[in-house]
Amino acid sequence: MQRLDSIREAVGNDQIDKLLPTLKATEKQIIFVCYNQMGNPNIRNGSAFYTEKEMLENNIKIIVYMGTTEDKQYVAVETERTPAGSISMNLTECMKLEHAMCDIIGFGSALIKFNQRFSYCPCCGNKMKYGGFGTHMDCEHCKNMVFPRTDPCIIVVVRHPTEKKCLFVRKSIMPEKRYTCVAGFLEVGESVEECVTREVWEEVHLRVKNVKYVTSSGYPLPGANQIMLGYEAQAIDSEIDIIPGNELCEAFWVNEEEVKQAINESKKPNPEGKYTVPPTYIAHQLFQYWVNQM
Ligand SMILES: [Zn+2]
């Protein structure tokens, strides 16, 4: 979602129970994005959007302002009951949905989970209160203020040192024949470029150079609110070595034709042969970027 303003500019710094009346006072349509008590979206016909009437019928427990676009205002809502005709899906399942829908669902889920998990102050243990319509939590006892956190992760498409090839990897937990890029969390005190170099070394024992930023993706994946920072890097060596017991079970070089084919297969409902993660994943976009550079 392309957000045009912050909460303060949109509706002022007011109390949570005044959110809906304040939003209604504007001309813009209010979209309710609905979640269950786990922070997972309730989906009906590929959408997590509901009307105010439906939300009130199912008892709103948490409501958080998300943002305003040119013609709409979005709020994330946790309801006590699942709206009629909808099912709760986890965020991984949601990545099959349309890209713009994934974007909004992921953002709202991060806000709802934040509100669910920080009802008590991590410093003094007292009950916390909504600040800024649920976009942060305040402790009146010790004056602690908590904002939703984002954990930086790198993801990198690795080029072969001499040939027109790039690296495909597969984690043991991923389906067979589905490939992605090397990825991992930034550690404290590390630069993003150092993180890229370390992760490639740890996962496949290749040294890299020419680490360059390509793109980013803000999808919060299950369990963590991540910002994925997409990079490219050139391998210095070509001999891959996976450490036994490591999270990867496969890593190998693929040529341009194989990458193109895997990208195409990933767009089919039932891919055949090697395929990449779906187009909504940043790894897919990095492989496409690599092909475009050829
Ligand atoms: Zn406190």
Side-chain angles (χ1 to χ4, degrees):
M1 174 170 57
Q2 186 63 53
R3 275 167 274 168
L4 292 179
D5 52 33
S6 72
I7 176 72
R8 202 176 290 273
E9 287 156 345
V11 287
N13 199 2
D14 220 332
Q15 295 302 309
I16 192 75
D17 56 359
K18 292 183 186 161
L19 175 59
L20 281 184
T22 317
L23 295 183
K24 277 180 188 172
T26 72
E27 300 281 292
K28 294 182 180 182
Q29 187 191 356
I30 308 172
I31 306 285
F32 291 79
V33 191
C34 182
Y35 297 86
N36 68 8
Q37 74 279 12
M38 303 295 291
N40 287 329
N42 294 314
I43 305 292
R44 184 174 61 196
N45 301 327
S47 167
F49 298 169
Y50 297 85
T51 62
E52 181 185 359
K53 186 169 171 282
E54 285 176 297
M55 296 298 89
L56 293 174
E57 279 168 5
N58 291 292
N59 284 1
I60 294 175
K61 282 178 73 186
I62 295 175
I63 181 163
V64 183
Y65 175 78
M66 293 173 67
T68 301
T69 62
E70 240 160 76
D71 57 347
K72 291 185 179 67
Q73 307 174 95
Y74 292 86
V75 288
V77 170
E78 183 202 324
T79 52
E80 223 161 70
R81 294 183 296 272
T82 308
S86 67
I87 50 154
S88 298
M89 282 168 76
N90 67 41
L91 289 183
T92 307
E93 291 171 319
C94 287
M95 293 197 90
K96 292 176 201 151
L97 303 175
E98 195 240 330
H99 191 106
M101 180 60 66
C102 285
D103 202 7
I104 293 169
I105 285 173
F107 172 43
S109 174
L111 288 176
I112 290 288
K113 283 179 180 169
F114 166 70
N115 278 264
Q116 290 169 336
R117 288 169 188 173
F118 283 88
S119 31
Y120 292 93
C121 178
C123 291
C124 73
N126 279 290
K127 192 115 177 86
M128 296 196 93
K129 285 193 169 170
Y130 286 112
F133 293 112
T135 48
H136 58 88
M137 301 294 272
D138 296 332
C139 175
E140 290 189 337
H141 184 75
C142 75
K143 307 296 175 207
N144 182 25
M145 192 188 268
V146 183
F147 286 86
R149 62 172 291 164
T150 301
D151 297 320
C153 265
I154 65 89
I155 181 155
V156 54
V157 58
V158 181
R159 296 172 187 270
H160 191 280
T162 51
E163 297 167 34
K164 283 188 175 179
K165 289 179 176 175
C166 75
L167 189 71
F168 265 17
V169 304
R170 184 168 76 85
K171 286 182 185 177
S172 338
I173 55 163
M174 278 168 70
E176 272 185 40
K177 296 181 182 171
R178 189 169 103 153
Y179 298 96
T180 183
C181 297
V182 167
F185 284 98
L186 189 76
E187 291 186 353
V188 172
E190 196 173 45
S191 76
V192 179
E193 288 76 11
E194 284 166 349
C195 177
V196 170
T197 309
R198 175 183 54 76
E199 284 290 345
V200 177
W201 175 257
E202 280 180 2
E203 294 199 3
V204 289
H205 259 202
L206 288 173
R207 293 174 300 147
V208 292
K209 60 179 183 181
N210 301 335
V211 176
K212 284 187 199 139
Y213 173 74
V214 179
T215 185
S216 70
S217 167
Y219 286 141
L221 291 170
N225 302 326
Q226 299 165 2
I227 171 80
M228 300 296 290
L229 304 166
Y231 278 76
E232 62 172 321
Q234 168 121 37
I236 296 170
D237 337 284
S238 62
E239 202 177 318
I240 298 158
D241 182 18
I242 301 179
I243 299 137
N246 198 336
E247 58 184 306
L248 294 186
C249 59
E250 269 188 276
F252 53 91
W253 298 109
V254 270
N255 65 32
E256 189 184 349
E257 213 38 57
E258 288 173 295
V259 179
K260 278 185 188 167
Q261 209 168 347
I263 286 173
N264 285 337
E265 286 300 322
S266 74
K267 295 171 186 166
K268 298 178 184 172
N270 298 304
E272 286 172 14
K274 294 187 193 80
Y275 64 105
T276 68
V277 289
T280 40
Y281 285 56
I282 188 169
H284 182 105
Q285 294 150 29
L286 289 173
F287 287 130
Q288 187 61 61
Y289 166 83
W290 179 80
V291 166
N292 296 346
Q293 301 286 303
M294 284 296 106

